[in-house]
Amino acid sequence: MTQQEILSKLTALCARAEYCSHEMRQKMRKWGADAATEEAVLAYLVKEKYIDDSRYARLFVKDRIQSNKWGRRKVEQALYLKQIPKGIIREALDEVPDEVYLAILRPLLKSKRRTIKAASDYEANGKLIRFAMGRGFTVDLIRQCLDGADDYDTTDDGDED
């Protein structure tokens, strides 16, 4: 493919959806572009604001937290895998207050608690902590939710009259 063909394909892609520079590099490598073409096309896309890693990171964070109900650690790891610079990742994640994570985590833990089979509250909390950590939530937020577990319905123990 020529540089112009690559450029027109990538600008069309970027006009439809948000991409990061790493994804654009991957596409160009897949199409067999040489390093010089890659750099020239990438420089044009950045200059013309087709791609912007900080804009991408902010939108990615918002989408993964709201839609996928991911925690900070999981979002951070996903952005790291997309080779977004650490400073940009930190900025994007710092824009989200802890209250947003808590508002997502509380209902997740509440619904998960209903499905857990555990002999004691200690065992149930251990399972909930592992579940939430798998979703990328930090231990301090998980503890805040579990310490305020008064909201949870714990009457599913079967010992009722």
Side-chain angles (χ1 to χ4, degrees):
M1 293 179 82
T2 67
Q3 182 173 333
Q4 192 55 42
E5 289 172 332
I6 291 172
L7 187 60
S8 66
K9 274 190 167 193
L10 293 181
T11 54
L13 278 174
C14 290
R16 288 192 302 265
E18 196 67 43
Y19 291 95
C20 66
S21 54
H22 176 68
E23 292 169 330
M24 295 292 102
R25 284 184 195 280
Q26 284 181 319
K27 288 188 183 303
M28 287 187 275
R29 285 185 190 127
K30 188 174 91 177
W31 296 335
D34 60 18
T37 301
E38 212 176 279
E39 289 306 314
V41 169
L42 198 59
Y44 176 82
L45 293 173
V46 168
K47 185 181 117 217
E48 296 298 322
K49 302 278 189 212
Y50 280 101
I51 58 174
D52 180 354
D53 283 347
S54 61
R55 181 180 65 210
Y56 176 83
R58 284 191 312 275
L59 292 170
F60 187 89
V61 166
K62 182 179 177 188
D63 179 58
R64 293 311 186 270
I65 290 172
Q66 295 297 323
S67 301
N68 296 9
K69 301 193 183 330
W70 285 3
R72 180 183 179 97
R73 298 292 301 150
K74 192 164 184 169
V75 174
E76 183 177 21
Q77 185 178 27
L79 286 171
Y80 177 78
L81 290 173
K82 291 186 177 285
Q83 297 183 1
I84 303 294
K86 288 182 182 180
I88 292 175
I89 294 173
R90 199 173 311 109
E91 282 177 25
L93 289 170
D94 287 346
E95 289 179 6
V96 181
D98 283 351
E99 291 76 31
V100 171
Y101 294 113
L102 289 170
I104 290 169
L105 182 57
R106 280 189 182 107
L108 275 176
L109 290 176
K110 188 174 184 177
S111 67
K112 184 66 175 174
R113 184 178 286 273
R114 289 187 198 117
T115 65
I116 288 179
K117 305 281 188 257
S120 66
D121 280 345
Y122 179 79
E123 186 181 339
N125 282 345
K127 289 181 178 186
L128 288 171
I129 289 169
R130 281 191 296 282
F131 167 75
M133 287 183 77
R135 286 289 192 125
F137 292 95
T138 57
V139 176
D140 59 327
L141 291 177
I142 298 167
R143 292 277 9 135
Q144 280 182 14
C145 289
L146 292 179
D147 290 345
D150 309 341
D151 322 349
Y152 299 122
D153 181 20
T154 56
T155 58
D156 294 324
D157 56 10
D159 293 339
E160 306 219 359
D161 302 20

